[in-house]
Amino acid sequence: DKIIVFLEGDIGYGEYEVDRNSDKNVVLKYSQSFAGAGIKYSFTPDVTTILSVGQAFGRQLKYLDGNGKVNIESAPYVSVKIDIKI
C-alpha cells in the first residue's frame, strides 16, 4: 500500500519536580489529550512521509499539593514527518 489513511489519539500525563518560590521539588503534573487524522505515503519502501492534523485538548498544569492549577486552551496541531531508512 502506498497510501494509508489513519486516525490517531493519545492521553498523556507527566510529573515534574520544580521549584516554586521558596519551595523546592514541588510536584507539577501536566496532562493533555489529542485526537486527529493523517495520511501516510510511501514513495519507496525506504522513504515515507506522514502528515497528520488534529486537536490537543484537556491540557492542564496542576501542583499536586493543591496550590495552583492552570487549564490551557485547546489548540490545533499539524505534524509532518519524513522517514528514510538507510
Side-chain angles (χ1 to χ4, degrees):
D1 295 320
K2 288 189 97 169
I3 297 177
I4 297 173
V5 178
F6 61 89
L7 299 175
E8 63 183 1
D10 191 22
I11 298 172
Y13 298 94
E15 291 185 358
Y16 308 92
E17 289 185 1
V18 299
D19 295 340
R20 180 184 60 203
N21 300 322
S22 62
D23 298 328
K24 305 291 182 195
N25 300 321
V26 178
V27 178
L28 178 65
K29 181 177 179 180
Y30 175 75
S31 61
Q32 81 164 6
S33 301
F34 75 86
I39 297 173
K40 178 178 178 179
Y41 180 75
S42 298
F43 294 96
T44 70
D46 295 329
V47 180
T48 302
T49 299
I50 301 169
L51 169 67
S52 60
V53 297
Q55 186 81 9
F57 54 92
R59 301 186 303 163
Q60 183 180 82
L61 292 168
K62 180 179 179 181
Y63 287 105
L64 290 187
D65 65 7
N67 290 327
K69 178 173 111 175
V70 175
N71 291 316
I72 304 167
E73 290 185 24
S74 295
Y77 71 87
V78 175
S79 174
V80 177
K81 182 177 176 182
I82 298 172
D83 287 330
I84 300 173
K85 295 179 187 174
I86 51 174

